[in-house]
Amino acid sequence: MSVSGLIASPSRCCLRLPDCNQGLVCRQVPSTPIASKPKEKFGKLHLERLTVSFRRWKMQKTHLIKCAMDASYGDMASESGGAAMFPRINVRDPYKRLGISREASEDEIQAARNFLISKYGGHKPSVDAIEAAHDKIIMQKFYERKNPKIDIKKKVREVKQSRVVQAVTSRFQTPATKFIVKTSIAFIVLGVLTVLFPTEEGPTLQVAISLIATFYFIHDRLKSKIRTLLYGAGAFIFSWFLGTFLMVSVIPPIPILKGPRSFEVLTSLITYVLLWVSSTYLK
């Protein structure tokens, strides 16, 4: 038995085999082996390929994201240069951020800014935070100069610290409470007598008694006749002239006190107040 011929096609093969009765006979044979379930195997193979492709794509995407993050962190590190970060970078108050008080001058503000820039100049976010706080304070100071506000506490403090006020206040001292009560009663009685019993000549007697009381109280505290004479006479003259000036130029007429000598009565009352201060607190 021998093979005399072979005819092939894409799907089938034809073998010419010798036959005793008919000579060469062509027998067709499939070119590929017949599988039992080709569709099922093809579906499983396609699914496996899709799964592998998805896993590869996911790994590539994760790798790209990681590279991008590494690059961004690398840029930030290169910008900061590994320098120290400003510890008060997130403090909102610009004065606290620079570490200065609200009463700081412009020179102190500039010095604080230069010091922090020299210390944290290698860290760009820190420099931005320091510059922002400095600019905000400068703009606020400029606005305050343009629209000034009267600070009553500051003005009172400046007046107290002036040389004239300190020189005047240094001449006064607070005595014992018992002495203050004694002088107060004496001058209050004189004021009541002046108001209740005015005369046509004016409160001449009450004014003379007030002068004598001033000498007595000053000598009782200072124990010096010369200082008593100088302080008493000077206090009386100053009190009378100041009372007259206030009645003429400042204080309006009071309708409660009526009479031909109402002006002298009011002047005497002001004089009693000033004499009480001099005889009680003057040292």
Side-chain angles (χ1 to χ4, degrees):
M1 180 178 178
S2 62
V3 179
S4 59
L6 179 62
I7 300 174
S9 67
S11 60
R12 295 178 179 276
C13 295
C14 183
L15 297 177
R16 294 184 181 276
L17 301 176
D19 192 357
C20 299
N21 299 322
Q22 299 180 0
L24 294 174
V25 180
C26 179
R27 299 185 181 275
Q28 296 180 358
V29 182
S31 61
T32 58
I34 299 174
S36 60
K37 295 180 180 180
K39 292 184 179 180
E40 294 181 1
K41 289 185 177 180
F42 178 77
K44 290 180 180 181
L45 180 62
H46 184 66
L47 182 61
E48 290 178 356
R49 289 181 178 178
L50 288 177
T51 304
V52 172
S53 300
F54 178 74
R55 288 178 180 175
R56 290 179 179 176
W57 174 79
K58 190 174 182 180
M59 291 176 64
Q60 292 177 355
K61 184 178 180 181
T62 304
H63 180 69
L64 291 175
I65 294 175
K66 186 177 180 181
C67 292
M69 293 176 65
D70 293 340
S72 62
Y73 284 119
D75 294 339
M76 292 178 63
S78 62
E79 289 180 0
S80 61
M85 186 178 71
F86 184 40
R88 297 189 298 273
I89 190 173
N90 295 322
V91 177
R92 300 185 65 180
D93 190 348
Y95 292 93
K96 293 181 179 179
R97 188 184 299 176
L98 294 185
I100 57 177
S101 63
R102 295 186 177 274
E103 290 78 18
S105 61
E106 293 186 2
D107 294 336
E108 294 174 345
I109 297 170
Q110 191 67 26
R113 179 256 179 197
N114 295 336
F115 172 76
L116 294 176
I117 289 295
S118 63
K119 188 174 182 180
Y120 303 101
H123 190 259
K124 189 177 183 302
S126 299
V127 174
D128 294 339
I130 295 168
E131 292 288 0
H134 174 264
D135 294 342
K136 188 173 182 180
I137 293 174
I138 293 300
M139 292 300 295
Q140 185 176 355
K141 292 290 185 182
F142 176 76
Y143 178 79
E144 290 177 356
R145 285 199 305 268
K146 191 176 180 180
N147 303 285
K149 294 182 180 180
I150 300 175
D151 191 352
I152 298 177
K153 293 182 179 180
K154 186 177 180 181
K155 293 295 182 182
V156 172
R157 186 170 60 251
E158 291 177 354
V159 171
K160 288 182 178 180
Q161 293 176 354
S162 63
R163 294 181 178 180
V164 177
V165 174
Q166 288 181 355
V168 173
T169 54
S170 64
R171 305 305 305 168
F172 292 87
Q173 65 179 2
T174 303
T177 306
K178 184 178 179 180
F179 187 83
I180 296 175
V181 173
K182 183 170 62 174
T183 56
S184 301
I185 293 174
F187 283 99
I188 289 174
V189 171
L190 286 174
V192 172
L193 292 176
T194 302
V195 174
L196 295 180
F197 303 101
T199 60
E200 294 182 359
E201 293 80 10
T204 307
L205 179 62
Q206 293 88 337
V207 171
I209 295 174
S210 68
L211 178 59
I212 296 172
T214 302
F215 284 130
Y216 171 77
F217 290 131
I218 292 176
H219 184 269
D220 188 20
R221 286 191 307 108
L222 302 180
K223 306 298 181 181
S224 175
K225 294 181 180 180
I226 298 177
R227 295 175 66 183
T228 299
L229 180 62
L230 294 176
Y231 285 175
F236 178 78
I237 296 172
F238 174 78
S239 301
W240 188 261
F241 277 105
L242 181 61
T244 305
F245 170 76
L246 293 176
M247 287 301 303
V248 172
S249 304
V250 179
I251 300 176
I254 299 176
I256 298 176
L257 299 176
K258 296 181 180 180
R261 297 297 180 179
S262 60
F263 178 82
E264 288 80 357
V265 171
L266 291 176
T267 305
S268 300
L269 293 177
I270 296 173
T271 304
Y272 296 158
V273 174
L274 296 176
L275 288 177
W276 171 77
V277 173
S278 301
S279 60
T280 306
Y281 295 98
L282 192 63
K283 70 175 182 179

